[in-house]
Amino acid sequence: MSFGEDSVFQSGFAECRITARVFCEALELIKKDGTALVEALGRLAGLWAFGISADRHRYHEVMMVCSILIFHTVNMCTDLPPSVASSPPIRHKIQEAARLFGFMVLAFEWPEHWKQPVISKLAAFFPEVIELWQSRHTPGWAAVQSRQLTQLPVVIPVQREPVPEPGEELYNRHRLLYSWVVRDCEIVVRSYKAALVSVADATI
């Protein structure tokens, strides 16, 4: 391997570790605090938008985790008791989440047959998503939706530091968190729902 090839390899290896760290930090947020679900998804959206264009493995991991969490969270929001959903602070939180989810669904490379029912449900909280979806065949549409997504306050660029050391600790941290969120995604969403109900009860 030449010096130039070695430099490219080392740079790519460091990038892989950075994206693994950001991915783990987002999932750890949810694990520690069920109310942080939307913040964590915002971080994953930032990772998708700013940090993984060359890392296809991480790209697909982020797509998988975001798709299952968004799917279950949207279903949960549409099934909230009316007394909870109509609470002003809860309505605001759901609308904020729906805006993030809406632009993620529009921008991410998911199949249209998956996007369509999710968008239909999101429209109850983010009505503009229907019009945006209907214009999807306009030239440059995908780039516009990606740019809109990156402009949301909850979507932050990837922080390049620190670069974690390679080794078993990072590998196991990532492996266990990924397995956990895929396995327990419905429990994660139920925890978020319980937090919303608790906030609504406190305002009554």
Side-chain angles (χ1 to χ4, degrees):
M1 183 182 290
S2 69
F3 175 75
E5 289 172 330
D6 183 60
S7 297
V8 170
F9 173 79
Q10 292 299 332
S11 174
F13 187 35
E15 190 70 14
C16 179
R17 290 170 2 239
I18 291 168
T19 59
R21 170 183 59 78
V22 176
F23 183 81
C24 289
E25 288 171 349
L27 298 189
E28 284 166 344
L29 261 182
I30 307 171
K31 197 160 192 178
K32 291 174 184 174
D33 179 6
T35 65
L37 177 63
V38 174
E39 181 185 352
L41 280 165
R43 291 194 185 194
L44 291 175
L47 183 55
W48 175 86
F50 298 108
I52 52 174
S53 57
D55 186 348
R56 299 306 293 180
H57 177 70
R58 191 81 60 232
Y59 185 89
H60 290 299
E61 280 185 340
V62 169
M63 297 270 279
M64 168 66 80
V65 170
C66 289
S67 68
I68 58 177
L69 289 176
I70 288 174
F71 178 81
H72 289 295
T73 306
V74 169
N75 284 340
M76 177 276 296
C77 288
T78 56
D79 290 337
L80 281 172
S83 60
V84 174
S86 62
S87 166
I90 300 307
R91 185 78 182 175
H92 176 72
K93 284 179 179 292
I94 293 174
Q95 287 172 336
E96 228 176 19
R99 187 170 179 81
L100 169 65
F101 297 170
F103 281 115
M104 289 175 74
V105 172
L106 292 171
F108 280 28
E109 296 171 355
W110 287 317
E112 286 200 4
H113 72 266
W114 184 89
K115 290 186 177 190
Q116 184 69 63
V118 176
I119 286 171
S120 296
K121 291 181 178 180
L122 281 170
F125 309 102
F126 177 37
E128 300 95 316
V129 75
I130 293 294
E131 184 177 347
L132 292 170
W133 174 244
Q134 289 172 343
S135 66
R136 64 189 179 279
H137 300 300
T138 305
W141 179 87
V144 171
Q145 305 319 312
S146 297
R147 187 165 59 251
Q148 293 266 51
L149 174 63
T150 61
Q151 290 171 352
L152 298 177
V154 73
V155 178
I156 57 175
V158 171
Q159 302 300 309
R160 316 310 300 180
E161 299 290 341
V163 181
E165 291 296 321
E168 195 171 333
E169 181 180 351
L170 178 62
Y171 172 80
N172 285 332
R173 179 188 177 197
H174 170 272
R175 177 179 61 84
L176 292 171
L177 283 164
Y178 181 74
S179 299
W180 163 76
V181 76
V182 171
R183 182 187 67 243
D184 292 347
C185 56
E186 292 186 61
I187 296 173
V188 169
V189 173
R190 283 201 296 270
S191 176
Y192 179 64
K193 178 180 180 179
L196 292 180
V197 172
S198 177
V199 170
D201 289 345
T203 62
I204 295 174

